[in-house]
Amino acid sequence: MVFSTTASATMNVAVITDPTGKDPNGCAAGSQSFAANMFQSTFIFSQEHKMALLSGGEGTSDVRVAAIINALTQLQKNGTPAQVVSVAQNYQGIRLMAVNPTEGIAVGGDFDVYVVTVDNNSTIKVQAASGGVATVPAGTKGAIIHLRNSEGNPKSGTAETVRLQTAMNIGKMIRDGYPATKIVSEAFGEVARDSGEDHGGGAINLVSGVTTGDMFTPDQLNDTGYEMEKPYSKVSSSGWSVGYPEADNYQVSPVDGSPLTTIYAYQALGNTITVSDDNPSVSTYGSDEKGISEATTSVVDASVEKNGYDPVKIAQSINKAIDSGSIVGVEYVDSSDINVRENIKAVGVYYTPAPNGRSAPVWNLPIDSNVFDVLGNIESLIGILLILLALFRSTLIKSFFRRR
């Protein structure tokens, strides 16, 4: 039997810059930590309710799972963020944070946070809150950030100062008109650099429903995720991309000699969850090659600019990039592998790894149908992993962990 150590997100952050819910980048949230197994502690997202639920705390994993299932029950009853997270007070050491673009942000249970609000006169308020329930009310621009130091973090003792400084910077960015997706990514970078709580984790754009998926989560059990302040990939203006550590071997694109720009992990996070007319959000699935997300994004951007959101044209462009070597390690795609969501400017590309690459395991879990009733509205694989890991730990590991 394989066991995992208890994981807990030490940073939860949620930001709302457009409380009307109309801006496709107006609400975002995410989690990270110094701890291992961060795939257990990122977020759960309900597409139907447009609500993300983030978890953490120092309670045991079984207690955290019980609290989350209780919170999901409240969510299914159309509970507000405050009602959803209020259940955390019944579980020792547990923290829950919930956010909805139009209903606000709430944190409940065991926490030390700063609550940030920005009014219509651009006045910033940053207030500390500890325990119980704290909120950013519906209709308000604002944010909540929780941060503590993990045991063993060499920068232990920095959390209180960094929590306040990051909250103040979040307030300034909200005031200055930055989108929530950009603010969350910058918060990830600042927290990673200054507090050492730097392992992903992940983030989500709640309005557009775009997540980082498993971009930064650990490949192996009881391991740490990607360090968010570290270089993640190098990208050329022509679309060629390579992930670290291989990127150390390249100074220019081997395709056309164009210079390479270094993208840090927190920047890659922001790029992934931010959508626009000129820069659609592109998500890749089925391959964990470090540079493939950036390379695919460049190819899809060019295809959309030239041909619009046409899955046939996008597939053709990707296959040309595979032929040229700009995208490696995956099989050709066809239009059925392209999920276009033009209304939110998002494109999903589903790859099949090339021979000898990794492949996704088959679901083979002894899961009671009642559990799936509870999870029915949850669309984040990371969130489902959180629930299932504590309930079916050994079988889950055999079924879910990708093998080389």
Side-chain angles (χ1 to χ4, degrees), residues 282-289 291-300 314-315 317-319 321-322 326-334 336-338 348-354 358-360 402:
V282 181
S283 301
T284 60
Y285 308 90
S287 173
D288 58 3
E289 293 292 335
I292 201 165
S293 176
E294 288 75 13
T296 303
T297 296
S298 297
V299 172
V300 173
I314 293 173
S317 297
I318 290 173
N319 291 336
I322 292 173
S326 296
I327 297 176
V328 297
V330 293
E331 301 283 11
Y332 292 114
V333 298
D334 59 37
S336 64
D337 299 316
I338 311 299
V349 181
Y350 295 80
Y351 285 116
T352 299
R358 295 183 178 182
S359 60
R402 294 172 177 167

Side-chain angles (χ1 to χ4, degrees), residues 1-84:
M1 181 174 289
V2 181
F3 292 93
S4 69
T5 59
T6 299
S8 179
T10 49
M11 184 193 81
N12 296 134
V13 61
V15 179
I16 296 174
T17 53
D18 176 21
T20 70
K22 296 178 181 178
D23 182 348
N25 300 307
C27 182
S31 298
Q32 66 181 358
S33 176
F34 178 77
N37 294 327
M38 270 302 297
F39 60 88
Q40 298 182 51
S41 307
T42 49
F43 49 78
I44 295 171
F45 177 57
S46 169
Q47 180 70 43
E48 178 183 349
H49 296 88
K50 290 289 184 182
M51 188 178 293
L53 179 66
L54 291 70
S55 67
E58 299 184 75
T60 60
S61 59
D62 57 336
V63 173
R64 184 162 64 249
V65 168
I68 289 171
I69 290 178
N70 195 348
L72 294 179
T73 301
Q74 298 301 316
L75 185 150
Q76 288 187 310
K77 294 179 180 178
N78 297 316
T80 65
Q83 291 169 331
V84 168

